[in-house]
Amino acid sequence: MAGCCKKVALRVERSHHIHYVSLHGLLALFSIGYIILGSFYLIKFNQHADYTGNALSTVASVIIGAGAAALVVRFVLFVFWLCDRFPLVVAALVVLVFIGLLRLATGIAGYVVRHDMQSTVAQTVNATMKQNGSSDSLAPLQQALLCCGSIGPLSWSKTVFPGSCCPTPSSQWLPTAAGCGGTNSSSGSDPFTKGCVEVLQDWVKYEGAVFSGIVISMVVVEALCSLSIIVYYCKNN
């Protein structure tokens, strides 16, 4: 232990190791970034998981777990480097490579799975409307995404639609001919015209693509930084 501490002191005193330490700090920030990114999108994906399924939420959870694991392994790697334990440094690097490949595969899976979720969205929205009959079962979704029914107001009924389809929501059912005003006059605003299936499918494709794109981009940049560390270590050991 004393020998390790002496090696740590010598390495810290050497100015040419600042670059190496800085790269380690940057990569630790990457791991924290994965955790923050995954947590943000996990909350976002869970908002509509009742209609979209849990595929994207699972992808976000894996990214969070991989980020946490990488943060721990990177700290252990840094300690091994300070103590000049080359075999353990190599072992830690192998684990980090595996975690990086896992993140890359997960990012690609997130991009692919968003297409598979399109049919799930349509089936779930239609089933929810059918099972709940005349109740306004899509009220939270309609207000969140500014949509109405599965394909529009007429998907509820030819004569009435729920007040949650209006910019100013209400719990009442309104006549289709009157719009959101609730009377046969033309004073009321129009209900949302887009169906929730189309809007939610577009939301899944967009958010899934953005999330996966960020993950894949971070993996590429992190891999380049990690390569710099490996090259530096090989030159100085």
Side-chain angles (χ1 to χ4, degrees), residues 145-197:
L145 299 180
L146 307 182
C147 57
C148 186
S150 58
I151 59 174
L154 292 179
S155 58
W156 285 107
S157 169
K158 293 183 178 180
T159 57
V160 294
F161 65 89
S164 61
C165 286
C166 296
T168 303
S170 70
S171 58
Q172 299 177 343
W173 285 76
L174 306 173
T176 303
C180 291
T183 66
N184 287 324
S185 66
S186 59
S187 59
S189 59
D190 293 329
F192 305 131
T193 56
K194 286 190 175 182
C196 291
V197 170

Side-chain angles (χ1 to χ4, degrees), residues 64-178:
I64 295 171
L71 188 62
V72 173
V73 175
R74 197 163 294 285
F75 173 77
V76 173
L77 169 63
F78 186 65
V79 173
F80 288 158
W81 171 77
L82 289 175
C83 295
D84 202 17
R85 303 295 174 82
F86 181 72
L88 296 178
V89 168
V90 173
L93 284 173
V94 170
V95 174
L96 286 174
V97 168
F98 174 78
I99 294 175
L101 291 175
L102 174 63
R103 279 196 291 246
L104 180 61
T106 303
I108 295 173
Y111 189 84
V112 173
V113 76
R114 67 196 182 99
H115 294 290
D116 299 333
M117 295 170 66
Q118 303 304 299
S119 58
T120 301
V121 169
Q123 293 172 2
T124 306
V125 171
N126 288 320
T128 300
M129 292 180 64
K130 184 176 180 180
Q131 291 172 1
N132 292 277
S134 61
S135 66
D136 188 5
S137 52
L138 296 180
L141 184 65
Q142 290 174 153
Q143 278 298 299
L145 299 180
L146 307 182
C147 57
C148 186
S150 58
I151 59 174
L154 292 179
S155 58
W156 285 107
S157 169
K158 293 183 178 180
T159 57
V160 294
F161 65 89
S164 61
C165 286
C166 296
T168 303
S170 70
S171 58
Q172 299 177 343
W173 285 76
L174 306 173
T176 303

Side-chain angles (χ1 to χ4, degrees), residues 14 34 42-43 45 70 94 111 121 142 176 196 201 213 217:
R14 296 173 186 173
Y34 283 117
L42 179 61
I43 295 172
F45 293 146
V94 170
Y111 189 84
V121 169
Q142 290 174 153
T176 303
C196 291
Q201 286 176 337
S217 299

Side-chain angles (χ1 to χ4, degrees), residues 23 25-41 60 63-64 66-68 70-71 74 96 99-108 209-227:
L23 282 174
L26 176 61
L27 291 173
L29 290 178
F30 265 96
S31 298
I32 296 173
Y34 283 117
I35 297 173
I36 295 174
L37 177 69
S39 299
F40 174 78
Y41 273 95
I63 293 299
I64 295 171
L71 188 62
R74 197 163 294 285
L96 286 174
I99 294 175
L101 291 175
L102 174 63
R103 279 196 291 246
L104 180 61
T106 303
I108 295 173
V210 171
F211 176 62
S212 298
I214 294 174
V215 169
I216 293 172
S217 299
M218 289 178 66
V219 169
V220 172
V221 175
E222 185 184 21
L224 293 176
C225 293
S226 298
L227 183 61

